[in-house]
Amino acid sequence: TAFGHDAVPGRVAMIGAGGVGKAVAFGLIELGCRHLNLFDRDEARAKGLATAVSQAAPDLIVEVASSADDAVEGADGLINCTPLGMVGYAGSAVPESGLTGARWAFDAVYTPVNTEFLLAAKAAGLSIMSGYELFFFQGVDAFHLFTGQDVDQAALRLALKQGEGVSV
C-alpha cells in the first residue's frame, strides 16, 4: 500500500508550513521523499521551512509554490497541514485538482477523523491516512516518554473505539 513500510512517498505536495508542517516535512525526509512542493499563505514561513529542510537533506528538491493549485500539480502524495477541515474550520486546503493523478493523501487534522479532503481523496481512489494516526501515535509516544512503558496499541485502539464510537 501507499503507507506500507517500504513505500516511497514520491513527489509530495504539502499545504501548510507551520509547526505540524515542519514535523511532517522532516518525517518525509526519513521516509525518503525526493521532491517536496510547499505552499503556505505566509510565503516567508514556507520559504523558511524550505530552507531548513534543504539544509537537513541537500539531495531533496524543495520548491515553494505560489499557490495550492501549483503545489499539487503532478504530485503523487497530498498532505494537509493546515487547520482547514477541522471542526469549526470547514473546507479543504488541498485543491481537488490534485486528486487526479495522486496516489495517496494524508490529513494532519484528526477531528473529525474523516475530513472533507480525505473523503474526496477516498472517492477519487487514493490511499488515505487520517490525522487520527498522528494523534494516536503522539499519545503512544508521550506515554512511553513519561512512563518508560509501552502501550498495548491494539487494546488502546479497541478501548477508544468502544468509548467514543470512533471509526479508525
Side-chain angles (χ1 to χ4, degrees):
T1 70
F3 297 106
H5 178 69
D6 295 325
V8 178
R11 184 181 182 118
V12 178
M14 189 173 79
I15 313 301
V20 170
K22 183 175 184 179
V24 169
F26 280 89
L28 287 168
I29 292 171
E30 295 297 316
L31 292 173
C33 181
R34 308 304 293 150
H35 194 131
L36 178 62
N37 289 345
L38 297 173
F39 173 73
D40 193 285
R41 290 184 308 172
D42 181 341
E43 186 178 8
R45 182 165 51 187
K47 286 182 177 180
L49 179 56
T51 298
V53 169
S54 293
Q55 289 173 349
D59 293 338
L60 174 62
I61 298 168
V62 183
E63 298 181 65
V64 174
S66 59
S67 69
D69 286 310
D70 287 346
V72 301
E73 190 174 319
D76 297 303
L78 308 170
I79 302 176
N80 175 40
C81 291
T82 76
L84 281 177
M86 187 170 25
V87 172
Y89 297 89
S92 173
V94 181
E96 286 197 25
S97 63
L99 300 176
T100 304
R103 293 185 289 118
W104 59 270
F106 169 66
D107 197 336
V109 169
Y110 52 87
T111 53
V113 171
N114 294 307
T115 62
E116 183 179 317
F117 165 49
L118 288 184
L119 292 172
K122 186 175 185 176
L126 280 63
S127 294
I128 63 168
M129 182 182 287
S130 169
Y132 183 86
E133 294 302 311
L134 174 69
F135 174 72
F136 180 84
F137 285 108
Q138 282 176 331
V140 167
D141 289 345
F143 183 84
H144 180 76
L145 286 171
F146 286 115
T147 68
Q149 299 177 9
D150 292 323
V151 171
D152 179 340
Q153 293 179 22
L156 178 58
R157 282 188 189 277
L158 182 61
L160 290 170
K161 283 181 184 179
Q162 291 173 340
E164 296 296 323
V166 174
S167 173
V168 292

